[in-house]
Amino acid sequence: MRYRYFPGCTLKGQAKSMEDTAMAAAAALGIELIELDEWQCCGAVYPLYEDELISLLSPVRTLAAAAGEPLVSLCSACHHVLKRAQELMQRNQDARHKVTDFLEVEYSGEGRVLHFLEVLRDDLGFDKLTEMIKKPLEGRKVAAYYGCLLLRPSKVMQFDDPENPTIMEDLLKTLGAEVVKSPYRTECCGAYLSVTEEGVASDTVARIIDSARQAGAEALITACPLCRYNLENCSREDGKEPIKVYYFSELLAEAMGLPGESTGADGSKEEVAQR
Amino acid sequence: MPRIGIFICHCGSNIAGTVDIEKSIEAARGFPGVVHVDEYRYLCSELGQDLIKKAIEEHNLDRVVVGTCSPRMHEVTFRKAVTEAGLNPYLLEVANIREHCSWVHKDIEKATPKAIALLRAAAAKAALNDPLVAPSVEVEKRALVIGGGIAGIQAALDIAEAGYIVDVVEREPSIGGRMAQLEKTFPTLDCSACILTPKMVEVAQHPNVSLLTYSEVEEVKGFVGQFDVKIKQKARYVDPVKCTGCGICYEKCPAKTPSEFEMGLAKRKAIYVPFPQAVPNIPVIDRDACLYFRKGRCQICAQECPPQAIDYEQQDQIIERRYGAIIVATGFDQMNPSHYGEYGYGQHPDILTGLEFERLFNASGPTGGKVVRLSDGKPPKKVVFIQCVGSRDKARGMNYCSKICCMYTAKQAILLKEKVPDAKSYVFYIDVRTAGKGYEEFQRRAAEEYDVAYLRGQVGKIFPESDHLMVHGVDSLSGKTIEIKADMVVLAVASVARADAPEVGRLVGINSDSYNFFNEAHPKLKPVETHTAGIFIAGACQAPKDIPETVAQASAAAVKVVGLLSKDMLQGEACTAEVNQAECSGCLYCEAVCPYSAISPVEIEERYHGGTLKRTVVEVNPTLCHGCGSCTVVCRSGTINLKGFSNEQILAEVDAICLQR
Amino acid sequence: MIIATGKSSLIDEMKVQSGQNPAECYQCAKCSAACPVTAAMDLLPHQVIRYLQLGLEEDLLKSKTPWICASCFTCAARCPRDLDLARMMEGIRLSMLRRREGNKFGPADLTPEQLEKLPQQALVSGFRKYNK
């Protein structure tokens, strides 16, 4: 199984542990992730106005660089931007001509654009993954937190059921964890509002964490560095037991018995979120 | 050479005021084949008609052109007149010089040449008119009603009362349909069973009605007056003659399966009647649930049945009958709202559809008439009703309004308050639509006297939390977002066409709209007719509708059937398509476009270079053809002609208009 | 209140560039019910569409709501009219930003602590959404 890999900027910075653990797991699973030779930031948010072509240059350049090979990313935001940019290139001929002419590349929307979770589910298969689990996460009560970018808009992302997704729970089950289903697992964490409107993000995060805690979770997994940052840094002090937040790949590597340690979304070695 | 007579009507000043009659007569005398021209003040009067009849005799006319009002108005009158003078009625031609000319013009100088052109065209066509004879069809004095819900029951009773024999085919083991599932009916709150059961019994006992329950229509052939229908009567495995309806069999039966009648909220036995008031009160064995059919053991029902009515060897029967007319009354389904992930239907036992909630009120329903939560058996204290789940939704549902939900939600909120006095209802709505006699008053009572909180807005998501459902909604009037800790949520899901409606439509030969509801022939003036003569529709198979509307439509359809069956013979359409098979290439385009299934392929043998050659051509069934002409347009070899409107005739008209001479 | 009857360049442009026609909205307000960040908004999401329908361009440009929208796409996912409100919100933001008078946020606004801890993704998306 051979894929081109787009890391994105956060995975070389604050979210290095997501990359390290995912790469280790991929190698052990025989999934070859070949990093693109030259890449630049995807832009982090997909431009929602169709004349914002300048913001498409970077993702389209990345898509073209994959040269038709399946393109994998780990960060939800990168995957979201790449997948939607690809959909626009398929759908809007005018935008495609303008962007590819400017970049002087040939690209017309070809190639699979995948999140690493999809590779595990669809290409490898969770059945196959089960065989590779050496240290199952027995007794660990873990809830999945999906957030927005993997799921919506579902017509484009085609990742999972947008309201009742199962892919992360299925992964957790495979890893041997005790799966906890939290009702707020697809609600937004506040995204970039933590930069300008921290109070708003605190409200959304409080709901997500309370809901997970009520459901009995001791830890959450996510595939998005910003979600993790918000969940760890925007929650209010409430005197309750803090909840751990992991990248999905960290628990994957752990269950596979691979070395690696969890770091906070800010790169610090704090194991437990400050609550 | 034909001998054409032209008669121009003044229609008082209606025509004569704008068309120069003298000039028109002068011009008409010069048309080819015209041997006589006359005019009259009111040609449609008796004196006017006599004028035409006399002229036919005196001048030995074999074609008649009248320059009058629209043929829609008086073509029949003049056809009758020429028939009385011994001519075939189709040898008459009408030039519409009133609606098409004098009424739409003011300038006599311009209107007159136009009237002359129209007359010249009519004369050119008349010269090519052939005598035509409409085929006649004998009428089978028996009607078929497909569907035994309230629509089918009402239609069957009306037809039977008018003195005609009628068969009702019902797929389920009992008649009654959706109405039998309801507890009470809006806006009067009378008990549904109390008003439906007497009708079920009446229709079952009526000497003119045969009920074919647990049966399905397999094939419909033929045409108005003579539909040949195959009906499959599924094996009940119970002898209906011996069975006394005592109920011991289903009491003793050990096999259980979800009850369709209870929307899966309760179990029924493998041998069962769907509900206590079922008509006929004869159980059926569900092969898929029965231990004997599945595993070859059990037979408890057979051992326990006092009159020994159980018959495991019973076979499906095919009944073949001829009917003069058919009413389709196959009803509707509820949309399954599982794809609205934010509502969580199917993921939590206290999130129900409207019809499921309705069953909780029923004394013989899944909770014995106690309104309780299915999760813990406690009465719900806070119930959230969500309107328009799947209706008015072009993204994930149906674009239309399902029409009945506003009313049944108000009804259920009232009934809830009566059963659980300390319960509080919240209704999230987009618009409250209560057009109907007494409806608005009823809904207002819910809001004003039964403490039902109407919140104008929708629900974003339902979050199940420990023992309650957290409903996140909004009230757009106050601009406040709302969170309700609800005990139960009721979804007013869209009413949709039956899943197999397209199949039924194909089977009986009627078409449906984009939602698979059956199409009426005209949205206003032919609400129960279809485009297929002799087939009528009634009830919610046409569009979502409530009981009063359904019953009215059923009676309307019955009147149409009775009118049809009262005739011994039906006069068909004379102007039908005919095909010259020698020129037909067998492309079958015409078959594809024919809305009446009147065209079918047929194999013919032709002599070819000394041998014989088999090839496919089409033939037209003149009794099915309505003369719409679609086939003539698509015919690649131009070899289908509509009698009375042949290509030659129409081109002659065009030539006569375009060429001055 | 006087309802604008003239042409609104914001709304005309928005129809083209977002592919969304506010007239298709029948104000069921499901977007507002679904939105996770309404608490901080001065106009609820459905009211933003209502203002677009009424041509109240100036009021929209003064509103805080488009800047609170987190582009989580929940409104679009559940809209029964198949409208994408996130795209309309982006249109209102962009029309301010493109006038080069509406930058909401710049590097100078970041605290040293934020600069150290925020993931790169947050900085990039913040600048993309709030700055031109």
Side-chain angles (χ1 to χ4, degrees):
Chain A
M1 284 186 282
R2 184 191 143 99
Y3 303 87
R4 302 314 301 265
Y5 166 56
F6 175 80
C9 38
T10 319
L11 271 81
K12 297 293 183 188
Q14 316 283 45
K16 191 79 180 80
S17 70
M18 169 142 67
E19 179 173 61
D20 292 346
T21 47
M23 294 305 268
L29 292 166
I31 300 169
E32 210 182 335
L33 297 179
I34 302 156
E35 188 169 324
L36 293 172
D37 298 334
E38 273 182 45
W39 57 265
Q40 58 191 130
C41 172
C42 68
V45 286
Y46 176 76
L48 297 171
Y49 238 30
E50 300 229 332
D51 65 349
E52 276 278 293
L53 296 177
I54 202 85
S55 307
L56 287 166
L57 298 178
S58 168
V60 172
R61 193 165 172 262
T62 302
L63 290 164
E69 282 193 83
L71 178 65
V72 170
S73 26
L74 289 162
C75 163
S76 309
C78 296
H79 174 63
H80 181 90
V81 172
L82 292 171
K83 186 94 180 174
R84 291 189 79 174
Q86 180 188 39
E87 187 266 345
L88 184 74
M89 292 298 99
Q90 291 167 347
R91 169 169 58 84
N92 186 333
Q93 208 176 14
D94 181 51
R96 184 172 80 221
H97 287 319
K98 281 181 183 153
V99 172
T100 53
D101 285 356
F102 185 87
L103 288 168
E104 298 182 345
V105 297
E106 296 277 330
Y107 185 68
S108 48
E110 64 276 5
R112 290 168 77 203
V113 175
L114 299 163
H115 190 271
F116 189 58
L117 282 167
E118 292 173 300
V119 174
L120 295 178
R121 177 189 63 189
D122 303 332
D123 292 8
L124 179 75
F126 288 144
D127 292 351
K128 197 80 195 293
L129 178 59
T130 313
E131 298 163 16
M132 303 294 287
I133 302 304
K134 302 215 169 73
K135 290 186 185 168
L137 310 173
E138 273 164 31
R140 301 265 287 276
K141 292 175 180 170
V142 189
Y145 174 67
Y146 288 85
C148 318
L149 299 175
L150 289 175
L151 298 171
R152 295 184 287 264
S154 62
K155 267 183 207 151
V156 179
M157 299 310 294
Q158 305 201 342
F159 179 78
D160 204 340
D161 184 319
E163 302 284 356
N164 287 303
T166 54
I167 182 169
M168 287 205 205
E169 281 84 359
D170 292 343
L171 173 71
L172 286 170
K173 216 180 289 167
T174 309
L175 302 185
E178 190 178 316
V179 181
V180 175
K181 227 168 150 184
S182 147
Y184 282 77
R185 68 211 161 103
T186 62
E187 292 289 288
C188 177
C189 69
Y192 47 78
L193 290 177
S194 53
V195 182
T196 52
E197 302 272 351
E198 210 186 307
V200 179
S202 303
D203 290 345
T204 49
V205 165
R207 292 203 124 153
I208 293 161
I209 291 192
D210 284 348
S211 161
R213 195 187 276 134
Q214 261 191 29
E218 293 160 0
L220 288 172
I221 56 163
T222 169
C224 175
L226 183 49
C227 290
R228 179 162 177 182
Y229 173 84
N230 286 346
L231 292 172
E232 287 183 339
N233 293 281
C234 293
S235 56
R236 294 196 185 95
E237 195 71 51
D238 58 4
K240 287 180 201 154
E241 188 66 16
I243 229 166
K244 286 184 196 172
V245 185
Y246 294 103
Y247 292 122
F248 72 96
S249 56
E250 293 173 339
L251 292 192
L252 170 68
E254 188 187 326
M256 289 174 70
L258 300 169
E261 60 187 324
S262 172
T263 56
D266 56 0
S268 73
K269 297 280 189 281
E270 285 171 296
E271 278 263 332
V272 172
Q274 291 298 318
R275 292 279 308 163
Chain B
M1 195 66 187
R3 295 179 60 82
I4 303 172
I6 297 188
F7 302 85
I8 301 171
C9 179
H10 297 204
C11 196
S13 62
N14 272 306
I15 294 172
T18 325
V19 171
D20 188 326
I21 304 287
E22 280 307 310
K23 271 191 189 167
S24 305
I25 292 173
E26 207 50 49
R29 289 212 165 98
F31 299 162
V34 172
V35 296
H36 176 74
V37 183
D38 208 346
E39 38 90 27
Y40 196 71
R41 211 169 153 72
Y42 292 107
L43 209 54
C44 59
S45 66
E46 231 176 283
L47 291 172
Q49 294 182 47
D50 284 344
L51 184 91
I52 297 171
K53 287 187 219 167
K54 247 181 239 160
I56 292 172
E57 239 167 81
E58 281 172 20
H59 301 278
N60 201 18
L61 302 177
D62 57 11
R63 302 283 190 286
V64 172
V65 172
V66 289
T68 57
C69 54
S70 163
R72 288 209 158 236
M73 200 69 200
H74 277 306
E75 187 176 57
V76 177
T77 314
F78 294 117
R79 274 187 178 164
K80 220 175 125 215
V82 301
T83 310
E84 281 164 12
L87 285 187
N88 179 287
Y90 293 89
L91 297 174
L92 171 99
E93 201 57 42
V94 179
N96 179 0
I97 58 170
R98 194 177 75 173
E99 285 85 343
H100 282 182
C101 187
S102 67
W103 272 4
V104 290
H105 298 295
K106 283 182 184 145
D107 186 349
I108 195 164
E109 295 301 318
K110 287 179 181 167
T112 306
K114 181 174 172 184
I116 292 169
L118 291 171
L119 287 164
R120 189 168 50 234
K125 181 176 179 235
L128 299 170
N129 280 11
D130 286 322
L132 300 177
V133 180
S136 52
V137 178
E138 205 176 315
V139 178
E140 183 71 29
K141 307 244 173 197
R142 185 181 198 115
L144 172 67
V145 174
I146 307 174
I150 183 59
I153 293 171
Q154 183 66 45
L157 278 173
D158 289 348
I159 296 167
E161 278 296 295
Y164 295 99
I165 304 289
V166 52
D167 293 351
V168 179
V169 171
E170 167 58 52
R171 172 157 60 186
E172 300 299 326
S174 167
I175 57 169
R178 290 279 174 223
M179 191 175 167
Q181 292 180 287
L182 305 182
E183 168 67 8
K184 301 234 162 128
T185 55
F186 59 76
T188 44
L189 289 184
D190 31 16
C191 142
S192 190
C194 309
I195 56 176
L196 176 65
T197 315
K199 277 196 182 277
M200 288 164 63
V201 174
E202 191 187 345
V203 77
Q205 292 177 348
H206 201 291
N208 285 347
V209 181
S210 302
L211 289 187
L212 299 166
T213 52
Y214 213 44
S215 303
E216 287 182 62
V217 171
E218 293 261 286
E219 185 184 277
V220 177
K221 279 190 166 172
F223 40 82
V224 56
Q226 299 180 5
F227 292 108
D228 291 313
V229 180
K230 271 189 197 157
I231 299 160
K232 182 168 88 180
Q233 195 161 30
K234 292 175 277 187
R236 285 184 111 93
Y237 307 107
V238 175
D239 184 334
V241 182
K242 287 185 190 162
C243 175
T244 60
C246 69
I248 289 175
C249 55
Y250 48 83
E251 229 169 76
K252 302 283 181 185
C253 172
K256 286 182 177 176
T257 191
S259 157
E260 298 83 357
F261 186 80
E262 300 296 351
M263 308 304 292
L265 299 182
K267 298 260 167 97
R268 61 160 169 81
K269 298 295 183 64
I271 183 165
Y272 71 107
V273 290
F275 53 102
Q277 306 93 325
V279 172
N281 186 25
I282 300 164
V284 299
I285 295 179
D286 172 359
R287 280 185 76 112
D288 297 333
C290 171
L291 289 176
Y292 175 69
F293 279 111
R294 280 173 54 223
K295 297 182 178 161
R297 289 193 302 269
C298 186
Q299 301 195 34
I300 289 176
C301 52
Q303 290 154 20
E304 297 286 342
C305 177
Q308 297 188 321
I310 308 292
D311 174 9
Y312 298 114
E313 304 304 316
Q314 222 179 57
Q315 298 292 318
D316 294 352
Q317 302 284 326
I318 298 290
I319 298 166
E320 292 186 48
R321 269 188 201 148
R322 177 169 279 192
Y323 298 97
I326 298 174
I327 294 178
V328 180
T330 46
F332 71 105
D333 274 331
Q334 274 199 310
M335 175 190 272
N336 180 331
S338 305
H339 64 292
Y340 288 86
E342 71 269 31
Y343 294 142
Y345 175 78
Q347 319 231 345
H348 196 286
D350 297 327
I351 302 171
L352 301 173
T353 68
L355 198 48
E356 288 167 354
F357 187 55
E358 185 88 17
R359 292 307 302 155
L360 302 190
F361 290 96
N362 195 274
S364 56
T367 53
K370 287 196 192 108
V371 179
V372 291
R373 307 202 320 163
L374 295 176
S375 58
D376 59 10
K378 289 183 190 158
K381 295 294 156 65
K382 277 188 184 174
V383 177
V384 168
F385 293 87
I386 305 176
Q387 305 288 276
C388 300
V389 177
S391 303
R392 307 179 66 194
D393 182 341
K394 67 176 170 189
R396 289 178 288 170
M398 300 295 170
N399 240 329
Y400 55 80
C401 164
S402 288
K403 203 172 185 179
I404 56 174
C405 328
C406 285
M407 283 303 289
Y408 79 62
T409 296
K411 175 193 77 177
Q412 291 181 340
I414 288 175
L415 295 180
L416 172 69
K417 193 78 186 166
E418 283 175 352
K419 285 257 182 184
V420 186
D422 57 343
K424 172 84 183 168
S425 296
Y426 302 86
V427 180
F428 283 98
Y429 71 97
I430 304 173
D431 298 290
V432 174
R433 293 178 169 173
T434 52
K437 191 169 174 172
Y439 287 13
E440 172 68 11
E441 299 90 318
F442 181 81
Q443 185 271 332
R444 287 316 307 159
R445 255 170 61 208
E448 292 164 20
E449 294 169 30
Y450 287 85
D451 190 30
V452 179
Y454 274 82
L455 302 166
R456 198 210 174 274
Q458 271 295 10
V459 166
K461 188 156 181 159
I462 298 166
F463 299 95
E465 282 181 3
S466 54
D467 66 339
H468 60 266
L469 298 161
M470 193 53 119
V471 178
H472 283 209
V474 68
D475 174 53
S476 70
L477 296 177
S478 60
K480 301 283 184 202
T481 53
I482 287 170
E483 286 174 27
I484 299 170
K485 256 185 163 182
D487 298 316
M488 194 183 259
V489 174
V490 181
L491 308 174
V493 296
S495 297
V496 295
R498 293 268 190 205
D500 60 353
E503 209 179 298
V504 172
R506 267 192 300 278
L507 198 70
V508 296
I510 57 176
N511 55 22
S512 344
D513 61 22
S514 58
Y515 307 112
N516 294 333
F517 287 117
F518 296 130
N519 273 340
E520 63 281 7
H522 188 280
K524 297 171 190 77
L525 301 179
K526 291 184 175 177
V528 296
E529 293 93 326
T530 66
H531 287 291
T532 308
I535 299 183
F536 304 91
I537 48 177
C541 64
Q542 181 252 354
K545 55 173 65 73
D546 59 18
I547 296 167
E549 241 186 300
T550 296
V551 170
Q553 212 183 19
S555 288
V559 164
K560 295 286 169 187
V561 167
V562 167
L564 208 158
L565 298 189
S566 70
K567 298 188 177 97
D568 294 327
M569 301 291 278
L570 288 178
Q571 195 84 81
E573 175 62 55
C575 296
T576 54
E578 63 181 343
V579 58
N580 179 353
Q581 291 181 334
E583 288 176 3
C584 173
S585 67
C587 71
L588 305 184
Y589 282 5
C590 51
E591 187 197 12
V593 299
C594 177
Y596 307 103
S597 310
I599 298 180
S600 45
V602 57
E603 206 159 76
I604 57 165
E605 280 185 13
E606 275 178 350
R607 285 237 273 246
Y608 186 74
H609 289 296
T612 52
L613 178 77
K614 276 189 181 176
R615 65 183 191 96
T616 302
V617 294
V618 297
E619 65 180 7
V620 179
N621 182 337
T623 43
L624 292 180
C625 177
H626 284 46
C628 72
S630 303
C631 53
T632 64
V633 182
V634 297
C635 180
R636 295 198 304 183
S637 36
T639 191
I640 300 191
N641 255 323
L642 193 57
K643 284 190 250 174
F645 296 90
S646 68
N647 293 340
E648 295 78 12
Q649 287 174 303
I650 288 166
L651 286 173
E653 282 187 282
V654 174
D655 283 348
I657 287 171
C658 296
L659 308 170
Q660 283 302 309
R661 245 164 256 289
Chain C
M1 184 184 71
I2 296 164
I3 289 180
T5 49
K7 278 191 112 48
S8 157
S9 59
L10 162 69
I11 294 163
D12 288 346
E13 193 188 315
M14 204 206 62
K15 282 188 198 168
V16 177
Q17 297 303 342
S18 70
Q20 311 300 309
N21 181 2
E24 287 176 36
C25 167
Y26 59 29
Q27 290 284 301
C28 74
K30 194 169 175 111
C31 45
S32 297
C35 179
V37 291
T38 49
M41 291 176 167
D42 53 1
L43 286 179
L44 288 179
H46 76 278
Q47 290 172 322
V48 168
I49 309 185
R50 188 67 185 146
Y51 277 38
L52 288 169
Q53 289 176 339
L54 298 177
L56 302 175
E57 181 179 331
E58 285 310 309
D59 298 78
L60 283 170
L61 294 179
K62 279 184 236 152
S63 168
K64 209 180 155 193
T65 294
W67 305 98
I68 298 294
C69 167
S71 302
C72 74
F73 312 114
T74 310
C75 48
R78 299 184 192 153
C79 175
R81 308 309 296 160
D82 218 1
L83 284 169
D84 190 340
L85 176 55
R87 285 183 186 270
M88 296 190 236
M89 294 285 198
E90 182 104 329
I92 300 166
R93 282 192 297 266
L94 278 178
S95 91
M96 287 292 278
L97 293 174
R98 285 175 181 179
R99 293 178 189 187
R100 306 226 170 251
E101 58 185 41
N103 276 1
K104 286 278 162 187
F105 168 75
D109 299 323
L110 286 167
T111 63
E113 199 206 0
Q114 276 183 311
L115 270 173
E116 190 201 326
K117 290 185 80 175
L118 276 172
Q120 286 77 1
Q121 177 197 353
L123 296 173
V124 178
S125 37
F127 287 129
R128 274 278 161 89
K129 288 284 178 182
Y130 298 131
N131 197 303
K132 261 287 149 218

